[in-house]
Amino acid sequence: MIELHDISKVYRTADVETTALNHVNLEIASGEFIAIMGPSGCGKSTMLNILGMLDTPSAGSYRFLGTDISSSSERQLASVRKQNIGFIFQSFNLIDELSVAENVALPLLYHKIPLAERKERVQQVLERINIAHRADHRPQQLSGGQQQRVAVARAVVTAPKLILADEPTGNLDTSNGEEVLDLLGQLNSDGTTIIMVTHDQSHADHATRVVNMLDGRVLSENVIGMQQSGAARHV
């Protein structure tokens, strides 16, 4: 699904040049559940932004579903993103003035899905995420865990091939965090590719592979379930 070859990202100001990603090579197959880990400032968020086509690399090539998108225009990237990728953020990013159902339906508006189909798809995904009983509530009437469930529902309502999750449990207590991780695991079992940034090893253990980053580089990759056999690959 994803091939990053020699990807670098450099941010420049008048006085400072900062290398956020430094010659990164990474391949991700369809159906994987990848956790990206590393200390603050190691390049995790920059990596996720580039994977999600919210930012572009300074150098290197990015192939998505077999197509090199490195030189694509913002309009082309937006089209690929809209058709294939769902996002889950630490801060939920729900709109307080809209109901749960209306928040979840938003991505379908951009896809120009007819009203009747939008309602049916929203209902289906709310039931799947076990939050249908809150469909008419506003986000501020929900617990943090419920709000993140709504964010997950919004991310999957378009049936994306890939979900990018940026610290999705960061604002949740342990119990609610585990519920969200279980939801991501269920989505992955259904065939959705998941890439999750996390700083918590116990959360990373829900993934099938862990990518460890340091100083803008991929330091190592560990396949979950095989680590006890020493299946860590250093890059």
Side-chain angles (χ1 to χ4, degrees):
M1 172 179 272
I2 289 172
E3 298 173 59
L4 301 183
H5 178 67
D6 215 23
I7 290 286
S8 293
K9 180 63 181 181
V10 179
Y11 295 101
R12 295 182 176 90
T13 65
D15 304 313
V16 179
E17 180 176 290
T18 303
T19 300
L21 293 178
N22 190 1
H23 301 288
V24 169
N25 295 284
L26 183 67
E27 294 186 9
I28 298 173
S30 294
E32 284 199 271
F33 187 161
I34 303 294
I36 300 176
M37 296 191 70
S40 297
C42 73
K44 301 189 302 296
S45 293
T46 301
M47 173 87 89
L48 206 68
N49 285 339
I50 287 176
L51 289 170
M53 305 171 205
L54 300 173
D55 201 354
T56 54
S58 304
S61 66
Y62 177 6
R63 295 182 68 84
F64 184 79
L65 295 175
T67 300
D68 191 340
I69 61 169
S70 307
S71 58
S72 298
S73 67
E74 176 52 39
R75 183 175 181 178
Q76 291 170 324
L77 291 176
S79 178
V80 174
R81 190 168 56 234
K82 181 176 69 174
Q83 296 297 325
N84 296 284
I85 304 176
F87 295 88
I88 303 171
F89 303 97
Q90 178 178 345
S91 55
F92 313 142
N93 287 358
L94 302 176
I95 299 175
D96 288 339
E97 291 75 21
L98 300 181
S99 69
V100 164
E102 289 167 337
N103 268 281
V104 174
L106 274 178
L108 298 177
L109 292 174
Y110 300 120
H111 286 256
K112 299 180 180 179
I113 303 296
L115 177 60
E117 184 179 347
R118 286 205 307 269
K119 289 183 175 180
E120 181 179 356
R121 290 175 67 169
V122 168
Q123 181 64 27
Q124 288 175 347
V125 76
L126 289 178
E127 290 176 355
R128 182 183 184 187
I129 303 300
N130 195 26
I131 198 70
H133 60 295
R134 298 289 192 178
D136 295 326
H137 287 68
R138 296 286 192 268
Q140 61 268 30
Q141 296 174 298
L142 308 179
S143 68
Q146 289 171 332
Q147 289 187 59
Q148 193 60 297
R149 281 181 174 272
V150 176
V152 171
R154 181 185 57 193
V156 304
V157 72
T158 60
K161 297 179 178 68
L162 171 66
I163 288 179
L164 300 178
D166 190 1
E167 297 279 7
T169 62
N171 286 332
L172 303 177
D173 59 30
T174 301
S175 177
N176 283 313
E178 284 296 321
E179 287 187 6
V180 169
L181 290 167
D182 287 343
L183 278 175
L184 293 178
Q186 292 169 22
L187 293 169
N188 179 245
S189 295
D190 291 340
T192 305
T193 305
I194 310 285
I195 303 176
M196 175 181 69
V197 163
T198 182
H199 65 276
D200 191 316
Q201 182 60 57
S202 66
H203 294 171
D205 288 343
H206 287 258
T208 55
R209 178 158 55 112
V210 179
V211 175
N212 295 289
M213 296 189 66
L214 184 67
D215 297 333
R217 292 179 177 271
V218 173
L219 185 65
S220 65
E221 300 176 37
N222 300 318
V223 178
I224 300 298
M226 297 176 63
Q227 293 180 20
Q228 301 302 320
S229 302
R233 181 164 69 89
H234 293 273
V235 181

